[in-house]
Amino acid sequence: MSIKTWTTGSTDRADPETAEALRVLYVAVTRARRLVALALSDTHLTLVRAFLTEWDIAHRTLHAHPGEQTVLPL
């Protein structure tokens, strides 16, 4: 799925596979009751953070250090 497609809203030109992935993401996010967690690469984290800020959606990132990986216990 293209994060750029999601953050720009240009789904009308998305291929069928991307369009379906966006629908699945939409359903997952809108049905969450308290928390949605996304695991993103550094590049995608920057795009999504800007998108959420632009839409005034409360969010928090676990880290903002490029190239660093954070492992969470299960």
Side-chain angles (χ1 to χ4, degrees), residues 6-63:
W6 176 51
T7 57
T8 61
S10 59
T11 58
D12 56 327
R13 289 180 266 145
D15 62 87
E17 186 176 313
T18 298
E20 178 61 18
L22 289 169
R23 282 189 287 276
V24 170
L25 177 63
Y26 173 81
V27 170
V29 169
T30 57
R31 291 193 180 174
R33 293 181 183 249
R34 293 180 26 179
L35 175 70
V36 173
L38 302 172
L40 304 165
S41 68
D42 292 333
T43 303
H44 292 149
L45 177 64
T46 302
L47 289 171
V48 171
R49 184 187 300 140
F51 174 75
L52 296 174
T53 300
E54 178 183 337
W55 284 91
D56 215 14
I57 298 170
H59 62 281
R60 179 174 36 173
T61 57
L62 186 58
H63 73 83

